Amino acid sequence: SQQGEEDPQALSIQEGENATMNCSYKTSINNLQWYRQNSGRGLVHLILIRSNEREKHSGRLRVTLDTSKKSSSLLITASRAADTASYFCATVSGGFKTIFGAGTRLFVKA
Amino acid sequence: GAVVSQHPSWVICKSGTSVKIECRSLDFQATTMFWYRQFPKQSLMLMATSNEGSKATYEQGVEKDKFLINHASLTLSTLTVTSAHPEDSSFYICSARDLGLGEPQHFGDGTRLSIL
């Protein structure tokens, strides 16, 4: 069963703007990951943040984690048309199964 | 980086046919592989966890006899959709976890299955 819920479900922005996606989950986790999926393709891992971390950066990506609120956010700065994709958060509990959120569909208009 | 190869990329077949999908880890060993199903514009739903040399662990609601999983080696897991029907049409994605690196998972490019 899915654990994470993401909002917004879809987001449309202009190139150069920042995009923020949020994810909430229900149970305690070992870590939380963000993935990207281009239409009809597999998933690409973007970034992993562990339960004892609060913020992590990777290039134009910034991820925050608030375990007290069971939520995470993914910020993509200076978005590009090529960032258009679906973005999923995923949680790992007990070091085993990865459960995906519903995803946010991001459209970046050139 | 770690690569997972999934084959075939897409398949169209008649109702009643059994379809086998392969998932291979190309440059690492994977004791655990995962099979997901994804409907259009929806998220990935975990179907089963495939463990090398043992029986797969299926998620609730997934028919074991319908979706046969075999994980015969540390680099290969197969999913066979038996007697497929139109409602089995979906996008199936596998992933594998590297023994040495642990998380995160590495995903195949998926198989689009269309049953006529």
Side-chain angles (χ1 to χ4, degrees), chain A residues 6 19 21 31-38 42-50 56-63 72-77 82-90 98 100 103-104 106, chain B residues 103-107:
Chain A
E6 294 172 69
M21 291 160 266
N31 64 63
L32 186 143
Q33 302 167 44
W34 284 90
Y35 289 84
R36 166 197 169 122
Q37 183 183 34
N38 284 8
L43 274 70
V44 175
H45 179 259
L46 295 176
I47 197 165
L48 180 153
I49 186 166
R50 300 196 183 279
K56 205 161 183 179
H57 297 255
S58 176
R60 292 185 295 115
L61 306 180
R62 173 178 169 256
V63 168
S72 174
S73 68
L74 170 68
L75 168 68
I76 303 175
T77 60
D83 294 328
T84 295
S86 292
Y87 292 83
F88 296 92
C89 70
T98 300
F100 287 85
T104 294
L106 174 66
Chain B
E103 303 148 334
Q105 299 176 54
H106 304 284
F107 284 82

Side-chain angles (χ1 to χ4, degrees), chain B residues 35 47-50 54 56 58 64 67-71 77-80:
Chain B
W35 288 96
M47 299 174 65
T49 301
S50 169
S54 65
Y58 290 81
K64 300 178 183 181
F67 300 99
L68 300 180
I69 291 173
N70 182 276
H71 194 155
S77 175
T78 60
L79 167 68
T80 302

Side-chain angles (χ1 to χ4, degrees), chain B residues 15-16 18-19 30 33 40 42 44 56 74 77 79-80:
Chain B
S15 184
S18 292
V19 179
M33 290 185 174
Q42 294 189 23
L44 280 71
L74 285 172
S77 175
L79 167 68
T80 302

